[in-house]
Amino acid sequence: MAVSDFLADGITRIRNAQNAKHDNVKLPVSGTLISILEILKKEGFIETFSLIEDGNKRFADVMLKYHNNKPVIRGITRISKPGRRIYHNVNSLETTRNNIGITIYSTPKGVITDKEARFQHVGGEILFKVW
């Protein structure tokens, strides 16, 4: 099955794998999804990930993170979708769950978190929120 939205597919696979208590999940990747996985690793939402090349297909093997047998990712939701893009300027950047979570933005300076967007004073497309 062809995937038209790698980001929504990746988010859903991570959410489902954590709900099923899997240790890892395999995701088809794009450049944006690799940047997002790096952010999730840096922010402590996943343990690690490694890229796997199988012929002309690329996958990421993501090691999920748990704390006291509960998933670290409590919730993950897609905001901007291919049919409806949502943008925020620097003045309307919002926090996620009173700074417990993060919001991922696609900006002219790359894929960054809401904290980095405020620091760099840029806005962009709001991709998803994770807490």
Side-chain angles (χ1 to χ4, degrees), residues 48-61:
T48 188
F49 71 95
S50 59
L51 295 177
I52 302 166
E53 299 216 12
D54 183 21
N56 60 351
K57 296 180 182 179
R58 293 186 339 169
F59 295 95
D61 187 26

Side-chain angles (χ1 to χ4, degrees), residues 56-102:
N56 60 351
K57 296 180 182 179
R58 293 186 339 169
F59 295 95
D61 187 26
V62 180
M63 297 295 296
L64 301 174
K65 192 172 186 179
Y66 295 91
H67 180 70
N68 293 333
N69 292 328
K70 293 183 181 176
V72 171
I73 297 176
R74 301 292 178 152
I76 187 168
T77 182
R78 178 77 193 261
I79 305 297
S80 186
K81 301 174 182 172
R84 182 171 183 234
R85 303 290 185 185
I86 298 174
Y87 297 92
H88 285 170
N89 62 21
V90 69
N91 297 326
S92 65
L93 296 177
E94 43 188 56
T95 60
T96 305
R97 302 272 175 148
N98 292 328
N99 287 329
I100 293 174
I102 59 172

Side-chain angles (χ1 to χ4, degrees), residues 21-33:
K21 306 277 192 221
H22 290 289
D23 292 331
N24 60 352
V25 63
K26 192 174 178 183
L27 309 174
V29 294
S30 64
T32 304
L33 195 58

